[in-house]
Amino acid sequence: VYPGASADPIYSAELRFLHQLLEDGATRTTDPYEADLFFVPIFGYYTHSGNMNAPTSAFDKAVAYLQKAMPFFWSRHEGRDHVFFSTADVGWCSMSSTVRRKAILIS
């Protein structure tokens, strides 16, 4: 069990993925120029939307931040190399088209 994680493994998938990713030095880099993919940890299940609503605003804010703070890394592939999780029941149903059409989505 992961701290703060739901007892249901479906809803802790993002935490489990991040835990394994951080432990595996062969699959991650701290140099963004070497990265093939960027994992964007939103933890949408743990936002105010919880399990029953899509965490649209959290994802839109993250994309806006990435576009402003790290424009090169977002725009070099138009976000298509950024990975987002949404494990709530609603998942990507009402996600904005900016995120849905551009990023890699795991639900």
Side-chain angles (χ1 to χ4, degrees), residues 39-73:
F39 174 64
V40 184
I42 301 290
F43 303 108
Y45 177 75
Y46 299 99
T47 66
H48 70 280
S49 64
N51 184 39
M52 298 307 293
N53 298 302
T56 305
S57 63
F59 285 87
D60 288 341
K61 287 177 185 176
V63 168
Y65 173 79
L66 292 169
Q67 289 171 328
K68 183 177 180 181
M70 299 171 222
F72 173 76
F73 299 109

